Amino acid sequence: MRKIGIRQARIFMAVANAASVTGAAKVVNRSQTSVTKSIQDLEHQLGVPLFDRTPKGVSLTAFGDALMPRAELAARAFTAAEQLVSPAVLMSAPGAARFFRMDISETWLDGFLAVVSHQNIASAADHLGIKPAAVSSSLRKLEDSLHITLFERTPNAIICTTLGRSIAQYVKLAQSYMRNACDEISNMQGVQVGHVSVGTMPYTRTMIIPRAINQLLAEHSDLDITTHDGPLDDLVAALRCGDIDVMVGALHGPGSDGGLSEERLIDDQLAIIVRAQHPLTRLKKVEWKDLLQYPWVLPRHGTTTRMLFELVLENRQEEKPSHIVETSSLVLLRGLLVESDRVSARSRHQILYEEQSGLLATLPVDLPETRLPIGITTRARSVLAPAVEMFIEELRKVAQQVSKTL
């Protein structure tokens, strides 16, 4: 499998910026032989030339041009991580300065990130396919080099410090850019490979995301796709560090630091949902007092849908439903509604197939104040992998299809 190491990316950028091996060797403080070997090894790993060589120096090939912006983004991630560390540490620890200049062993980085993820030396070692002693040695050398405590050790666990976890997020982000570069180079060679990691939110899990995935894989069956769900804050954190490529769902703003970029696809709003044979479906006009005669099923407090529903109650000064069952599970919701006269408030997108199959129905109750933009969230100022760009294009197509049907 193709892989670009962080140190290799540093040396590559030095050669590209200096337009010569000699100049790069001075910048990275290595011999010309070492720099030449690093570039040759990288080109061999990728199977493509990154530089055109002439007696006057070197220049980037098309493949090198594809790698360069992603390598620069990786460098920017390490620079951001450096801002987390006190100047005193950077002055007193040469190893820390080298680390944030991307002059670091890939073995140390892999061990560090594996332990952050697994919170256990043995599990991290099993994941990496090496012995626990090797992982412990890498961590010790990394912490000694940085003069930073990355983990707190207890008799039963190894816990990442707040600083260690923050640094790990930037390292993972840098590595994600290198993976994207590998995908782009493969794409340039006519090989459609790649991986898309999608953060999913409730409004889009039922139909929008599945349809986009199916349409993408119908044309590009060699791509791999992984979906992630969970609380919004967890998904945003995963997006920021590169564990997720794109989030799809309700838009919540680009973040106070401007680190996220949003694209609106469609607007959605809540509907009142009941079983298809519910007594209220026989009414031409449904009043709020009619709804309050029945028990309700609502999402948990703090979710977007629940907040929008409570906004309706506040704006209209309506009485709150009593005897509520709280669940965010669509499977459980379907069972509760189909087997009773309960009422719920959800997006029609979430119950589209149940409505088409005659299990559930929407009541003629308009809730315009719950209108919500649905769309795509990515990292701002990022270079997306080809597979991610193709997936986003399929999402746009699905949004157009949905807007014509609902």
Side-chain angles (χ1 to χ4, degrees):
M1 184 179 71
R2 293 175 170 178
K3 182 178 181 180
I4 302 172
I6 293 300
R7 181 179 281 160
Q8 286 179 314
R10 173 179 184 254
I11 294 174
F12 163 79
M13 285 189 293
V15 174
N17 289 326
S20 74
V21 171
T22 303
K26 294 177 181 178
V27 172
V28 300
N29 195 28
R30 291 181 177 273
S31 68
Q32 293 184 39
T33 301
S34 175
V35 171
T36 298
K37 184 178 186 306
S38 177
I39 295 299
Q40 289 175 339
D41 288 346
L42 179 56
E43 290 179 320
H44 178 73
Q45 289 167 216
L46 296 176
V48 298
L50 298 172
F51 294 98
D52 286 321
R53 279 86 167 170
T54 70
K56 295 183 179 181
V58 300
S59 60
L60 289 172
T61 64
F63 298 110
D65 282 332
L67 173 55
M68 190 64 179
R70 292 168 170 85
E72 290 173 336
L73 286 170
R76 190 182 301 168
F78 271 87
T79 299
E82 185 178 21
Q83 306 307 310
L84 303 172
V85 180
S86 70
V89 169
L90 297 173
M91 291 289 292
S92 64
R98 288 196 299 272
F99 177 91
F100 294 113
R101 291 198 304 268
M102 299 169 63
D103 187 8
I104 184 68
S105 162
E106 203 72 16
T107 300
W108 291 7
L109 289 182
D110 289 344
F112 170 46
L113 295 182
V115 175
V116 171
S117 176
H118 294 275
Q119 301 183 54
N120 181 277
I121 294 289
S123 297
D126 185 61
H127 172 75
L128 295 172
I130 59 179
K131 294 182 178 180
V135 175
S136 295
S137 176
S138 291
L139 288 188
R140 184 173 62 254
K141 291 176 181 177
L142 179 59
E143 288 183 306
D144 289 347
S145 174
L146 293 177
H147 288 197
I148 295 172
T149 300
L150 299 173
F151 296 94
E152 299 289 347
R153 277 89 169 167
T154 70
N156 300 317
I158 180 166
I159 303 169
C160 192
T161 63
T162 300
L163 177 58
R165 189 169 295 280
S166 297
I167 291 174
Q169 302 304 306
Y170 285 112
V171 173
K172 289 200 290 184
L173 179 58
Q175 289 189 338
S176 76
Y177 289 129
M178 295 300 93
R179 290 193 299 272
N180 289 351
C182 290
D183 290 347
E184 173 67 15
I185 289 171
S186 294
N187 185 63
M188 292 171 67
Q189 294 177 291
V191 181
Q192 291 290 352
V193 298
H195 180 265
V196 185
S197 184
V198 186
T200 70
M201 290 182 277
Y203 281 71
T204 56
R205 288 178 193 147
T206 300
M207 188 269 289
I208 295 178
I209 291 176
R211 184 177 294 181
I213 291 174
N214 284 333
Q215 291 181 180
L216 175 63
L217 296 183
E219 296 292 329
H220 307 284
S221 58
D222 290 333
L223 299 180
D224 294 315
I225 298 180
T226 303
T227 64
H228 306 261
D229 55 30
L232 176 63
D233 290 345
D234 291 352
L235 292 178
V236 170
L239 177 64
R240 287 181 180 275
C241 77
D243 283 345
I244 287 175
D245 298 308
V246 57
M247 279 171 36
V248 190
L251 301 180
H252 296 273
S256 57
D257 62 352
L260 302 178
S261 175
E262 295 185 334
E263 176 185 342
R264 177 190 155 280
L265 294 177
I266 58 172
D267 287 327
D268 196 8
Q269 69 181 54
L270 297 186
I272 302 299
I273 312 297
V274 295
R275 66 183 178 90
Q277 291 78 34
H278 195 285
L280 291 177
T281 61
R282 296 191 287 270
L283 300 180
K284 291 184 178 181
K285 184 176 181 181
V286 178
E287 303 289 349
W288 193 258
K289 60 182 177 60
D290 300 320
L291 298 173
L292 291 179
Q293 294 178 23
Y294 298 91
W296 281 71
V297 185
L298 291 172
R300 295 190 304 270
H301 279 286
T303 60
T304 300
T305 300
R306 185 64 176 267
M307 289 188 290
L308 289 173
F309 179 75
E310 291 175 347
L311 178 64
V312 171
L313 300 182
E314 181 180 343
N315 289 346
R316 301 186 181 190
Q317 297 183 333
E318 297 285 6
E319 183 182 346
K320 293 183 179 181
S322 57
H323 309 298
I324 293 172
V325 175
E326 291 189 347
T327 180
S328 293
S329 167
L330 287 181
V331 175
L332 185 56
L333 171 69
R334 181 174 61 232
L336 287 168
L337 293 182
V338 170
E339 295 289 334
S340 74
D341 285 338
R342 296 183 186 278
V343 179
S344 187
R346 303 290 165 120
S347 161
R348 281 188 68 192
H349 293 130
Q350 293 176 275
I351 57 100
L352 177 65
Y353 299 119
E354 287 84 354
E355 190 174 11
Q356 290 177 347
S357 63
L359 288 175
L360 300 179
T362 58
L363 295 177
V365 179
D366 191 22
L367 303 174
E369 58 267 65
T370 66
R371 201 167 186 82
L372 185 69
I374 305 299
I376 300 162
T377 305
T378 56
R379 292 181 296 278
R381 299 174 296 278
S382 183
V383 181
L384 299 176
V388 178
E389 291 179 337
M390 289 188 290
F391 176 66
I392 289 175
E393 184 56 35
E394 293 302 329
L395 287 169
R396 296 184 182 120
K397 294 177 184 177
V398 172
Q400 292 180 345
Q401 297 164 7
V402 170
S403 64
K404 296 176 182 178
T405 59
L406 288 180

